Amino acid sequence: MSGQHNTSINAKCTSVAAVFGNPIAQSKSPIIQQHFAKQFGIQLKYTKQLGSLDSFEDQLSVFLAQDNAVGVNITMPFKERAFEWVDDYTDQALRAGAVNTLIRKPNSTRFIGANTDGDGLVADLLFHSVALINKSVLLIGAGGAAKGALPAIVNAGVSAVSIFNRTTVRAEELAEQTNSYSSCPISVFVDNSAEFDIIINATSLSLQNELPSVPTSIFKKTSIAYDMVYLDHQTSFLKFAEQAGASVTIDGLGMLVEQAAVSFRYWFNKRPDTAFIRKMLRSN
Ligand code: NDP
């Protein structure tokens, strides 16, 4: 399946949805989704569900057996397991091999898996007026977040993508797989003298205040640095990028909001406004 999905919703009925993850207490998804629902007068009960490492699939089946369940979001560490669970995929989910959104098929008990991380990232870059057309991109990381982001990055018209990863073979595999459908070239980062327009950190290293082992020479005066991690202070990667000369630094809070907006659109066929919730989360 590609494109947005129409779901017929009776506005008088309360719809249910949830985010499954482990851990899950920190999730901001309920606040974001309830805010979106309010914009359209949709009754939505959106909860956090602590996924069990032993019985996640059973939990998912029970939750989604509810007649009024429109779908769920999936976060770490269940995105690949959810991919195995669903019946059908969006193109991006198929390419990523992981899903973060399940959507009920119309008048059915079956579900489609989507991956909205990449569209969320691109929407956030556009929100910050970062043009992607003909830009060179360095993607740091080859895990689930990098895999989810890459299909949308190459669709956005960039000129080339280089991938850097601690474990080089994973970068090679991701480059090879992406080259099988991408019209722009994807390579593994090897040239220490190369500079990039946009540098995206898709690792969790900033959560430990650590840095990927990339040289400072990748940044030029016009480079834009993006860290998928967001904290209540500047992340270690964005600090590093700024000191190395990047002109703009952006953390992943906007990506979180925008990927949620794409999920909401899949469920309710309505495009929520994201400006207010961005400001609200930033000020908390
Ligand atoms: P992982 O932690 O599995 O990260 C995998 C990547 O990070 C791999 O490329 C891995 O390299 C690399 N990595 C991990 N530890 C180290 C280390 N010590 N040194 C060097 N490289 C390391 O997570 P995900 O890919 O699922 O997510 C990455 C981050 O993105 C998470 O923090 C997540 O919260 C965030 N994220 C944010 C979103 C948002 O909306 N803002 C959406 C999705 C994700 P290797 O292959 O060598 O192991």
Side-chain angles (χ1 to χ4, degrees):
M1 186 193 113
S2 58
Q4 300 294 311
H5 176 73
N6 276 318
T7 305
S8 163
I9 297 296
N10 177 351
K12 286 182 191 140
C13 247
T14 298
S15 299
V16 300
V19 56
F20 279 79
N22 188 337
I24 198 62
Q26 79 295 345
S27 175
K28 297 182 193 303
S29 294
I31 299 172
I32 298 171
Q33 294 294 350
Q34 299 287 7
H35 171 75
F36 290 161
K38 228 174 172 182
Q39 288 179 22
F40 301 101
I42 291 170
Q43 306 284 324
L44 173 67
K45 186 177 170 210
Y46 186 105
T47 51
K48 296 178 196 177
Q49 301 287 332
L50 180 65
S52 155
L53 299 180
D54 293 331
S55 55
F56 162 70
E57 289 77 6
D58 294 338
Q59 291 175 309
L60 204 53
S61 299
V62 169
F63 187 89
L64 291 172
Q66 299 175 86
D67 286 345
N68 52 347
V70 290
V72 290
N73 286 126
I74 308 289
T75 188
M76 287 197 322
F78 298 118
K79 289 181 185 180
E80 281 86 6
R81 283 171 67 172
F83 179 84
E84 299 299 329
W85 187 89
V86 287
D87 308 301
D88 198 0
Y89 310 96
T90 63
D91 292 345
Q92 291 196 354
L94 205 51
R95 286 169 174 170
V99 299
N100 73 344
T101 306
L102 269 54
I103 310 140
R104 183 186 290 281
K105 284 185 167 185
N107 308 315
S108 167
T109 55
R110 297 164 81 91
F111 287 83
I112 296 163
N115 191 315
T116 67
D117 283 339
D119 284 341
L121 169 68
V122 169
D124 191 37
L125 286 167
L126 296 177
F127 179 89
H128 287 96
S129 305
V130 176
L132 288 144
I133 305 271
N134 289 329
K135 301 293 183 192
S136 59
V137 175
L138 176 65
L139 181 64
I140 303 171
K147 285 179 184 159
L150 206 42
I153 293 171
V154 300
N155 269 349
V158 301
S159 61
V161 180
S162 191
I163 305 172
F164 172 87
N165 194 46
R166 172 180 60 177
T167 310
T168 308
V169 68
R170 294 186 76 198
E172 287 169 351
E173 283 165 8
L174 184 55
E176 190 183 331
Q177 188 235 339
T178 310
N179 273 320
S180 69
Y181 66 83
S182 166
S183 55
C184 81
I186 317 295
S187 60
V188 174
F189 177 82
V190 280
D191 177 5
N192 273 351
S193 64
E195 294 178 331
F196 298 90
D197 297 315
I198 302 169
I199 296 131
I200 300 166
N201 182 17
T203 75
S204 51
L205 282 165
S206 289
L207 292 176
Q208 288 89 46
N209 206 24
E210 288 176 11
L211 291 171
S213 50
V214 288
T216 51
S217 53
I218 55 172
F219 298 100
K220 50 185 175 176
K221 281 202 181 102
T222 51
S223 294
I224 286 142
Y226 195 100
D227 195 345
M228 289 194 190
V229 167
Y230 50 87
L231 297 168
D232 57 8
H233 53 271
Q234 190 180 37
T235 70
S236 46
F237 178 73
L238 295 182
K239 198 173 188 175
F240 167 71
E242 200 172 81
Q243 286 168 355
S247 62
V248 176
T249 59
I250 306 167
D251 74 13
L253 188 65
M255 176 179 172
L256 176 78
V257 172
E258 295 298 340
Q259 61 80 29
V262 182
S263 296
F264 186 89
R265 218 155 76 217
Y266 273 122
W267 294 330
F268 299 108
N269 201 27
K270 294 187 188 301
R271 183 187 292 265
D273 179 67
T274 56
F276 179 82
I277 191 75
R278 278 171 170 274
K279 271 194 213 143
M280 198 183 106
L281 293 175
R282 192 62 78 185
S283 62
N284 277 347

